[in-house]
Amino acid sequence: MKTVKIGNTNWEASNVALGIMRMNALSTDEAAASLNAAVAAGINFIDSADIYGQGDSEKVFGAALKQSGIRRDQLFIQSKGGIVVDPARSHGSLVFGKRYDFSKQHLIDAVDGELSRMGVDYLDSFLLHRPDPLMEPEEVAAAFDELQQAGKVRHFGVSNFDPQQFEFLQENVRQPLLINQVQFSVMHTGMVNVGMHVNMEDTRSVDHDGGVLAFSRRKHVTLQAWSPFQYGTFAGVYIDNDQFPKLNAKLAELAEKYHVSKNGIAVAWILRMPVPFQVILGTMNPAHIKDSAAGSDVQLTRQEWYDVYFAAGNDLP
């Protein structure tokens, strides 16, 4: 398992992480098996959020961590906060918010709840979970200071921020923002498309994120790719999906060459980007965790990267 440097620091972690959004559907035994499979594959980074399973995912994780025998210092644990759940519209792992809330008290309460549910003393990183248009930066700064001084959070970052939002927040907090978590996969390539379709009028030239790839590379921000095997926004999985025969044929061809699964090639495609990336796996299946994590050790050639991009329906301008 290869590592990635987190932000402009000496902190290095596995470039594949385990996301626990769906862990609330598992028993403690099943969740412990998932954690052990991840660690055995070289994964040492866990991603969570206070809203996952309406908090139940973190409770199951905490119980599984104790049962697994994995030491706290073997893992980097990250969680996110800032979304207030609407229980009436949320069921199981499917969670809807009724507002975003970056107030000082809400962020502090979010971290306290996360620590309690997971049974740990600190988070290695805490991310603001999607931009809040009512954000008052002084409140975020006060929350970050208090959380860091209390030893509850070591590092900070954001999720789904564009460069202007990122820089505005960075100008108002003392702590460096090391991470931006964004949706990215071979079937979600808007950040790549816009960089190639400059000065054009086709749909791929539309900039939806303000140039986050170039910005992150310039500012040494680590990007974390969520939904690496999904198309659309939670529309479904593209691996072994009959809607995408060309893509699956190309993934199968490369999987055979590199002796990994299609999922492994999909992971390798993201990690071939020159921007420092972590890929967040959402599967809880131990076999799929192992297969996907193997992509960390695959280095696609430049042409192979483009061939997968073309097979997903993209082109060159």
mmCIF file of all heavy atoms in Angstrom, residues 219-236:
data_model
loop_
_atom_site.group_PDB
_atom_site.id
_atom_site.type_symbol
_atom_site.label_atom_id
_atom_site.label_comp_id
_atom_site.label_asym_id
_atom_site.label_seq_id
_atom_site.Cartn_x
_atom_site.Cartn_y
_atom_site.Cartn_z
ATOM 1 N N LYS A 219 -1.645 24.657 -3.947
ATOM 2 C CA LYS A 219 -1.683 24.924 -2.515
ATOM 3 C C LYS A 219 -1.335 23.700 -1.664
ATOM 4 O O LYS A 219 -1.389 23.776 -0.439
ATOM 5 C CB LYS A 219 -3.082 25.422 -2.124
ATOM 6 C CG LYS A 219 -3.484 26.727 -2.792
ATOM 7 C CD LYS A 219 -2.610 27.892 -2.330
ATOM 8 C CE LYS A 219 -3.106 29.206 -2.902
ATOM 9 N NZ LYS A 219 -2.306 30.361 -2.417
ATOM 10 N N HIS A 220 -0.982 22.594 -2.307
ATOM 11 C CA HIS A 220 -0.593 21.363 -1.591
ATOM 12 C C HIS A 220 -1.739 20.872 -0.683
ATOM 13 O O HIS A 220 -1.518 20.525 0.477
ATOM 14 C CB HIS A 220 0.678 21.590 -0.761
ATOM 15 C CG HIS A 220 1.816 22.130 -1.566
ATOM 16 N ND1 HIS A 220 2.517 21.373 -2.478
ATOM 17 C CD2 HIS A 220 2.368 23.377 -1.618
ATOM 18 C CE1 HIS A 220 3.457 22.114 -3.040
ATOM 19 N NE2 HIS A 220 3.388 23.334 -2.542
ATOM 20 N N VAL A 221 -2.930 20.861 -1.248
ATOM 21 C CA VAL A 221 -4.098 20.358 -0.536
ATOM 22 C C VAL A 221 -4.350 18.922 -0.992
ATOM 23 O O VAL A 221 -4.375 18.637 -2.198
ATOM 24 C CB VAL A 221 -5.344 21.220 -0.823
ATOM 25 C CG1 VAL A 221 -6.580 20.634 -0.140
ATOM 26 C CG2 VAL A 221 -5.110 22.655 -0.373
ATOM 27 N N THR A 222 -4.516 18.014 -0.068
ATOM 28 C CA THR A 222 -4.830 16.627 -0.409
ATOM 29 C C THR A 222 -6.319 16.505 -0.712
ATOM 30 O O THR A 222 -7.150 16.950 0.075
ATOM 31 C CB THR A 222 -4.451 15.683 0.744
ATOM 32 O OG1 THR A 222 -3.056 15.785 0.979
ATOM 33 C CG2 THR A 222 -4.797 14.235 0.396
ATOM 34 N N LEU A 223 -6.630 15.927 -1.859
ATOM 35 C CA LEU A 223 -8.021 15.680 -2.227
ATOM 36 C C LEU A 223 -8.394 14.256 -1.847
ATOM 37 O O LEU A 223 -7.606 13.328 -2.041
ATOM 38 C CB LEU A 223 -8.227 15.887 -3.729
ATOM 39 C CG LEU A 223 -8.055 17.318 -4.234
ATOM 40 C CD1 LEU A 223 -8.233 17.365 -5.750
ATOM 41 C CD2 LEU A 223 -9.034 18.274 -3.557
ATOM 42 N N GLN A 224 -9.583 14.089 -1.311
ATOM 43 C CA GLN A 224 -10.099 12.766 -0.976
ATOM 44 C C GLN A 224 -11.288 12.486 -1.885
ATOM 45 O O GLN A 224 -12.271 13.231 -1.880
ATOM 46 C CB GLN A 224 -10.520 12.702 0.493
ATOM 47 C CG GLN A 224 -9.356 12.865 1.455
ATOM 48 C CD GLN A 224 -9.786 12.862 2.905
ATOM 49 O OE1 GLN A 224 -10.934 13.170 3.225
ATOM 50 N NE2 GLN A 224 -8.876 12.530 3.797
ATOM 51 N N ALA A 225 -11.194 11.421 -2.675
ATOM 52 C CA ALA A 225 -12.218 11.094 -3.656
ATOM 53 C C ALA A 225 -13.290 10.208 -3.036
ATOM 54 O O ALA A 225 -13.019 9.069 -2.661
ATOM 55 C CB ALA A 225 -11.591 10.388 -4.848
ATOM 56 N N TRP A 226 -14.520 10.753 -2.926
ATOM 57 C CA TRP A 226 -15.622 9.924 -2.443
ATOM 58 C C TRP A 226 -16.419 9.398 -3.628
ATOM 59 O O TRP A 226 -16.386 9.952 -4.717
ATOM 60 C CB TRP A 226 -16.507 10.671 -1.450
ATOM 61 C CG TRP A 226 -17.155 11.953 -1.860
ATOM 62 C CD1 TRP A 226 -16.647 13.214 -1.738
ATOM 63 C CD2 TRP A 226 -18.475 12.122 -2.404
ATOM 64 N NE1 TRP A 226 -17.547 14.150 -2.179
ATOM 65 C CE2 TRP A 226 -18.679 13.510 -2.595
ATOM 66 C CE3 TRP A 226 -19.505 11.239 -2.749
ATOM 67 C CZ2 TRP A 226 -19.854 14.035 -3.122
ATOM 68 C CZ3 TRP A 226 -20.679 11.758 -3.268
ATOM 69 C CH2 TRP A 226 -20.845 13.142 -3.444
ATOM 70 N N SER A 227 -17.126 8.285 -3.401
ATOM 71 C CA SER A 227 -17.886 7.581 -4.440
ATOM 72 C C SER A 227 -17.022 7.232 -5.650
ATOM 73 O O SER A 227 -17.368 7.562 -6.794
ATOM 74 C CB SER A 227 -19.103 8.399 -4.880
ATOM 75 O OG SER A 227 -20.092 8.411 -3.879
ATOM 76 N N PRO A 228 -15.891 6.547 -5.450
ATOM 77 C CA PRO A 228 -14.993 6.254 -6.576
ATOM 78 C C PRO A 228 -15.547 5.252 -7.570
ATOM 79 O O PRO A 228 -15.011 5.136 -8.675
ATOM 80 C CB PRO A 228 -13.747 5.695 -5.881
ATOM 81 C CG PRO A 228 -14.261 5.111 -4.598
ATOM 82 C CD PRO A 228 -15.359 6.034 -4.179
ATOM 83 N N PHE A 229 -16.626 4.523 -7.218
ATOM 84 C CA PHE A 229 -17.198 3.524 -8.127
ATOM 85 C C PHE A 229 -18.622 3.878 -8.547
ATOM 86 O O PHE A 229 -19.314 3.058 -9.134
ATOM 87 C CB PHE A 229 -17.195 2.137 -7.464
ATOM 88 C CG PHE A 229 -15.867 1.746 -6.878
ATOM 89 C CD1 PHE A 229 -15.761 1.360 -5.551
ATOM 90 C CD2 PHE A 229 -14.709 1.788 -7.645
ATOM 91 C CE1 PHE A 229 -14.543 1.008 -5.001
ATOM 92 C CE2 PHE A 229 -13.478 1.443 -7.110
ATOM 93 C CZ PHE A 229 -13.388 1.054 -5.785
ATOM 94 N N GLN A 230 -19.045 5.111 -8.248
ATOM 95 C CA GLN A 230 -20.409 5.536 -8.555
ATOM 96 C C GLN A 230 -20.448 6.383 -9.817
ATOM 97 O O GLN A 230 -19.476 7.053 -10.168
ATOM 98 C CB GLN A 230 -20.970 6.366 -7.390
ATOM 99 C CG GLN A 230 -21.096 5.630 -6.084
ATOM 100 C CD GLN A 230 -22.439 4.945 -5.925
ATOM 101 O OE1 GLN A 230 -23.411 5.309 -6.575
ATOM 102 N NE2 GLN A 230 -22.497 3.956 -5.055
ATOM 103 N N TYR A 231 -21.584 6.371 -10.497
ATOM 104 C CA TYR A 231 -21.838 7.334 -11.565
ATOM 105 C C TYR A 231 -22.982 8.225 -11.111
ATOM 106 O O TYR A 231 -23.820 7.827 -10.297
ATOM 107 C CB TYR A 231 -22.162 6.649 -12.889
ATOM 108 C CG TYR A 231 -23.460 5.879 -12.922
ATOM 109 C CD1 TYR A 231 -24.620 6.459 -13.428
ATOM 110 C CD2 TYR A 231 -23.530 4.571 -12.462
ATOM 111 C CE1 TYR A 231 -25.817 5.757 -13.463
ATOM 112 C CE2 TYR A 231 -24.724 3.855 -12.493
ATOM 113 C CZ TYR A 231 -25.863 4.451 -12.994
ATOM 114 O OH TYR A 231 -27.041 3.754 -13.017
ATOM 115 N N GLY A 232 -22.994 9.458 -11.613
ATOM 116 C CA GLY A 232 -23.987 10.414 -11.137
ATOM 117 C C GLY A 232 -23.740 10.712 -9.670
ATOM 118 O O GLY A 232 -22.635 10.566 -9.161
ATOM 119 N N THR A 233 -24.781 11.151 -8.992
ATOM 120 C CA THR A 233 -24.692 11.380 -7.552
ATOM 121 C C THR A 233 -25.521 10.296 -6.868
ATOM 122 O O THR A 233 -26.737 10.396 -6.769
ATOM 123 C CB THR A 233 -25.219 12.777 -7.179
ATOM 124 O OG1 THR A 233 -24.470 13.756 -7.919
ATOM 125 C CG2 THR A 233 -25.025 13.051 -5.693
ATOM 126 N N PHE A 234 -24.830 9.210 -6.479
ATOM 127 C CA PHE A 234 -25.494 8.051 -5.876
ATOM 128 C C PHE A 234 -26.498 7.403 -6.835
ATOM 129 O O PHE A 234 -27.478 6.801 -6.400
ATOM 130 C CB PHE A 234 -26.190 8.422 -4.564
ATOM 131 C CG PHE A 234 -25.263 9.010 -3.535
ATOM 132 C CD1 PHE A 234 -25.453 10.298 -3.068
ATOM 133 C CD2 PHE A 234 -24.207 8.276 -3.042
ATOM 134 C CE1 PHE A 234 -24.601 10.838 -2.116
ATOM 135 C CE2 PHE A 234 -23.347 8.805 -2.083
ATOM 136 C CZ PHE A 234 -23.549 10.085 -1.627
ATOM 137 N N ALA A 235 -26.249 7.524 -8.161
ATOM 138 C CA ALA A 235 -27.146 6.891 -9.131
ATOM 139 C C ALA A 235 -26.950 5.390 -9.173
ATOM 140 O O ALA A 235 -27.882 4.633 -9.458
ATOM 141 C CB ALA A 235 -26.932 7.490 -10.515
ATOM 142 N N GLY A 236 -25.741 4.947 -8.895
ATOM 143 C CA GLY A 236 -25.452 3.522 -8.921
ATOM 144 C C GLY A 236 -23.980 3.271 -9.178
ATOM 145 O O GLY A 236 -23.193 4.199 -9.383
#
